[in-house]
């Protein structure tokens, strides 16, 4: 028999992502709807070990659906990776009467939760929150859509100056292990080339592609580079190589950095967060544990945390082909 859930804790961990606050709001209000107590855990697993808890009611989360970042703060905890750290966390949740946890974060967050569940048979459900969209078991992670809109808006502005000065811009976007952001914004912003970790284009092929673009009449170009792209050691090395091997372009680099993680969440991310929060709480109440909530074919589905962590999100091959055609 699954144990009765009377009090649920919610935390955010790892890198922040737009939509996390909307997910916290959904968890708290779903708990209130089902007459279950809800407790906020501040500073992720660090706060879990230190008992940094605060009771939350439906009114506690007013006016946060539109806010970026996370009101619960986030921290990466080395101590929680130890047996002693997790024992301390278990003592704190037991003392506070917390029966289950909703974990909002990425694969590192889920790994910690899965181990915690295995060691103490403690119910956990994960909600994927990362702009990289690199988690298996969901078509969209929280923050991905917002990040795309933020990046496209920035690229549109950069294109204005690229066109005005006949410049070639290398624009680096986030995506250490996956090129979802780069591929989508590259198509959406009309980039001439898109460099992602999944496709090794090669420096010579890149230069040849840029030459073809020049010969076709293009006087400026935008190249989107995922930070995990393997062609060069850095986007600045790419710039230097093109400078040395191609005349006629004034080559510049723009690294968008952490601005991609900030800002108010898009409507899509707010709705997705609301759906995921409801599914997470109701899954715990139904006795489900050690799962991640995900969006699959526009339905809320559960994926085992182990699969979400070990699985690999796949790049959209159709979109890759579209990008090649659009660069003609």
């Amino acid at each position: 028999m699954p144990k009765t859930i009377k009090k649920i804790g919610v935390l955010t961990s790892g890198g922040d992502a737009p939509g996390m606050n909307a997910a916290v709001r959904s968890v708290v209000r779903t708990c209130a709807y089902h007459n279950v107590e809800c407790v906020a855990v501040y500073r992720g697993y660090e706060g879990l070990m230190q008992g940094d808890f605060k009771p939350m009611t439906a009114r506690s989360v007013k006016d946060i659906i539109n806010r970026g970042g996370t009101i619960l703060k986030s921290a990466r905890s080395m101590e929680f990776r130890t047996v002693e750290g997790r024992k301390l966390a278990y003592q704190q949740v037991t003392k506070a009467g917390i029966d289950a946890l909703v974990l909002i974060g990425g694969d590192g967050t889920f790994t910690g939760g899965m181990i915690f569940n295995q060691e103490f048979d403690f119910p956990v459900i994960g909600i994927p929150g990362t702009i990289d969209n690199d988690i298996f078991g969901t078509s969209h992670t929280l923050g991905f859509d917002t990040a795309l809109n933020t990046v496209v808006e920035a690229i549109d502005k950069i294109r204005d100056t690229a066109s005005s000065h006949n410049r070639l811009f290398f624009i680096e976007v986030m995506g250490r292990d996956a090129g979802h952001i780069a591929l989508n914004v590259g198509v959406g912003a009309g980039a001439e080339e898109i460099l992602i970790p999944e496709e090794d284009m090669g420096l010579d092929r890149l230069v040849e592609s840029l030459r073809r673009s020049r010969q076709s009449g293009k006087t400026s170009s935008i190249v989107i580079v995922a930070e995990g792209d393997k062609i060069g050691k850095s986007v600045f090395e790419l710039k230097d190589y093109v400078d040395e091997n191609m005349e006629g372009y004034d080559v510049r680099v723009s690294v968008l950095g952490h601005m991609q993680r900030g800002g108010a969440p898009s409507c899509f991310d707010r709705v997705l967060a609301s759906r995921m929060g409801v599914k997470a709480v109701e899954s715990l109440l139904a006795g489900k544990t050690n799962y991640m909530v995900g969006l699959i074919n526009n339905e809320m589905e559960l994926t085992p945390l182990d699969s979400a962590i070990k699985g690999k999100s796949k790049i959209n091959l159709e979109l890759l082909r579209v990008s090649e055609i659009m660069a003609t």
Side-chain angles (χ1 to χ4, degrees):
M1 287 287 292
K3 76 176 195 178
T4 302
I5 306 294
K6 296 180 179 179
K7 184 183 289 189
I8 293 175
V10 57
L11 63 81
T12 55
S13 177
D16 62 290
M20 281 186 165
N21 283 328
V24 170
R25 172 181 180 268
S26 178
V27 169
V28 172
R29 292 197 170 175
T30 305
C31 284
Y33 180 83
H34 289 285
N35 296 314
V36 174
E37 292 182 67
C38 190
V39 174
V41 180
Y42 286 86
R43 297 177 295 111
Y45 289 127
E46 198 70 20
L48 194 69
M49 293 183 296
Q50 295 176 14
D52 194 358
F53 307 149
K54 180 181 178 182
M56 301 285 273
T57 69
R59 300 287 71 79
S60 301
V61 290
K62 67 178 182 179
D63 300 330
I64 69 168
I65 193 172
N66 60 316
R67 291 173 58 181
T70 165
I71 64 166
L72 301 187
K73 309 298 182 183
S74 185
R76 302 184 192 276
S77 176
M78 295 302 294
E79 187 180 357
F80 190 77
R81 298 184 182 184
T82 68
V83 174
E84 293 75 20
R86 292 189 295 272
K87 284 182 179 178
L88 180 59
Y90 182 69
Q91 291 170 2
Q92 294 286 7
V93 295
T94 302
K95 179 181 176 182
I98 298 172
D99 302 310
L101 289 170
V102 175
L103 315 170
I104 306 172
D107 54 4
T109 302
F110 296 159
T111 299
M114 183 178 70
I115 296 172
F116 192 66
N117 168 265
Q118 292 169 348
E119 290 178 342
F120 303 104
D121 192 27
F122 195 87
V124 298
I125 290 284
I127 292 178
T130 168
I131 69 166
D132 288 344
N133 204 44
D134 58 352
I135 295 180
F136 178 81
T138 184
S139 62
H140 290 75
T141 56
L142 291 183
F144 177 56
D145 183 73
T146 304
L148 296 183
N149 293 327
T150 299
V151 174
V152 165
E153 184 178 352
I155 295 171
D156 287 346
K157 290 179 170 64
I158 292 171
R159 184 176 286 282
D160 290 343
T161 194
S163 300
S164 298
H165 296 276
N166 291 350
R167 284 174 177 161
L168 164 61
F169 266 91
F170 284 105
I171 302 175
E172 184 185 271
V173 301
M174 285 185 168
R176 186 175 63 251
D177 301 311
H180 298 291
I181 292 178
L183 180 57
N184 280 269
V185 301
V187 173
E192 279 65 42
E193 291 296 343
I194 304 168
L195 308 182
I196 56 177
E198 294 87 347
E199 295 283 321
D200 187 357
M201 186 177 191
L203 286 168
D204 293 335
R205 187 177 149 206
L206 171 63
V207 170
E208 181 58 34
S209 175
L210 292 172
R211 285 193 177 122
R212 287 198 304 270
S213 293
R214 196 63 182 272
Q215 291 166 1
S216 71
K218 293 182 180 179
T219 57
S220 65
S221 290
I222 297 289
V223 177
I224 307 300
V225 184
E227 61 181 329
D229 175 65
K230 306 297 192 298
I231 291 183
K233 294 179 181 178
S234 72
V235 68
F236 296 99
E237 184 179 276
L238 291 177
K239 173 193 179 301
D240 292 341
Y241 188 86
V242 172
D243 271 335
E244 294 169 5
N245 292 274
M246 189 173 178
E247 295 181 356
Y249 270 129
D250 179 9
V251 187
R252 301 296 175 90
V253 170
S254 182
V255 178
L256 298 186
H258 285 79
M259 67 173 287
Q260 297 164 81
R261 293 218 308 230
S266 64
C267 180
F268 181 90
D269 275 328
R270 298 182 198 193
V271 173
L272 180 63
S274 300
R275 295 177 68 187
M276 285 182 166
V278 171
K279 181 69 173 180
V281 171
E282 293 187 342
S283 295
L284 284 171
L285 296 180
K288 302 290 186 181
T289 182
N290 221 23
Y291 287 98
M292 181 198 78
V293 177
L295 182 69
I296 301 176
N297 297 323
N298 203 34
E299 297 290 337
M300 286 292 106
E301 304 288 353
L302 296 178
T303 296
L305 283 182
D306 183 55
S307 298
I309 295 163
K310 294 180 179 178
K312 187 171 179 61
S313 62
K314 295 182 179 180
I315 205 74
N316 188 325
L317 296 179
E318 181 210 0
L319 200 56
L320 194 63
R321 181 169 178 271
V322 168
S323 73
E324 294 172 355
I325 295 173
M326 291 300 101
T328 302

